Amino acid sequence: MAAHIGRRLRKGAATTAVAAAAVAALSASQAPGATVDDQGRQNTGDATSAPDTAADDSATGNSPYYTDLPPLNSPAPSPSAGSGEAGDRSAAEAGIPATVLDAYKKAEAALREKKAGCNLPWQLLAAIGKVESGQARGGRVTADGTTVTPILGPQLDGNGFALIRDTDNGAYDGNRMYDQAVGPMQFIPSTWSWAGRDGNGDGRKDPNNIYDAALAAGHYLCRFDWDLSEPGDLRKAILSYNNSTEYLNTVLSWLEYYRKGTHEIPDGTGALPEDRSDARPGVTPSAPGTTPPARPGKPSGSRPSPSPSAPGTGSPSAPPTTPPPPTTPPPSTPPTPTDTVHHLEDAGTGTLTAVAGHTFAERISTRAETEAGKAVAKVRIRFTIVGDTDTTFAGGESVATVTTDASGVAVAPALQAGEKTGAFAVQAAVAGRSVKGVPYKVTVTQRVADALTRVGEKELTCVAGGEFAEPVEVKATYGGEAAGKVAVTAKLVTSADDPAENDKGPYFKDADGKAIRTLTGLRTGPDGQLTLPKLYADGTAGTFLLRLTTAGGATLEVELTVEPAATPSPDPDPSADPDPSTDPSTEPSETPAV
């Protein structure tokens, strides 16, 4: 017992020092004029404010987490320092189970390719994984990264935790009354439904798979175009995961610790954290469980337990002997604003149309109302892009959640049109409720140009049977600005009045070297410019016309001149009189020798 108390005292001194160092580093990184808002978020006057992270919109639902801080000694201790109980524990805390570490590094690599500007370090995922689940309960995962048993947080029933009623019918957490955070990165079902990713390529998005969960966490942290190499954006991202200053400081402590060095340890041998944020005197902390709770009204075994298990322990509850409890909140629970929403209405959204690659001028506005039509403020509205499209909201995500204002209206972030054209939809719904939503039709049209000009003024000439030395270069613009990626068609026409394809004169060559006189599928570059393939000429001389057209109606006609081939000099006539100077008959004769 004395040894145990000694370890706790030593750990207390170490964690206090680490916490002080983390807070000092955090304070040093604050810009002048930094403030703390009413929810403990730290902001700067000139920075974009952190998103409103209501419990049902944070990654974890602000669920409890581990508060253990890293030890003071080096994360990569020397062999001598690693001897003894304290050294062994330090080495275990510094180490990350092999499969878990691999998942973090693969997620970092994926984000480096998809969202390079986010600068996500894998050590941040490791820090969050440590705080949320102790690195998947010390690395208790199978070869494909799935936890040996599901990891569940306590049910979010408003009893000491956030109140989040069931959003997934128990699909992820096995609880059809309240939501519970799930998996090694502790996503609540309503967040996982849109943030989930397939990180191990098995075609599934499993919150209890460390590869899937780590990749989802990476995308979640990068979803607002944050640059995590910037201290301000890093804080906002962490607070959006779990909105607590203590959580922020704990994650930052582990982030700094792992950045100094770590090492791989075998799966299942990681040190398990000891302290929880929900630990209170006289109350047993509800650590993440290892099995889902029984669903209401469904027996969990052949023998009933003498008493129900504590919330969040993951132990099956006894089969009910009475009808299942109602799924509606108890009468004593005051309704939240979300509970009073009866339906959503469009709040004056205009036509949602944009050219591919451009930002939509119109933004979606949705109003939350009671059954009587009264506006409801402080309600989370989730906007989800649905359909075959690469259009996204700002930050590259297909989902955005916004809180209604005093007039009950939520305005979605601006839509950024992708390159896929056509119609799709954006669905507005109440986060955490199944009430009538609003679908919005959205259309992306092809890129267009309203002007097309030739680059350069040199005449385009060629000798019959030869090739043009100068290529045809053009530039497309729209509204005076360069029109990039605009489709262009080039066609050699018979004349200005006859758009039919010419059957003689200049031509292009296809991949097989055959003559063609119409090119489609051409596109301008990002600067609006396009250089056509080389032109050749057959044996016909004259002036010819190349017509270029773009989506949007811009047209340009370019003259091409083919000059006759040079006439070769005629051979001399052998019957013509020879040059007298060279005629041998005019030479004096010589008297032959005798």
Side-chain angles (χ1 to χ4, degrees), residues 3-13 68 89 274-275:
H4 176 72
I5 294 174
R7 289 197 302 275
R8 298 296 295 167
L9 288 174
R10 288 194 298 273
K11 180 182 178 188
D68 298 48
R89 178 168 182 82
E274 299 176 357
D275 300 322

Side-chain angles (χ1 to χ4, degrees), residues 475-477 481-485 524-530:
K475 181 174 182 178
T477 56
E481 300 292 332
K485 300 182 180 179
T524 60
D527 58 358
Q529 295 196 184
L530 169 67

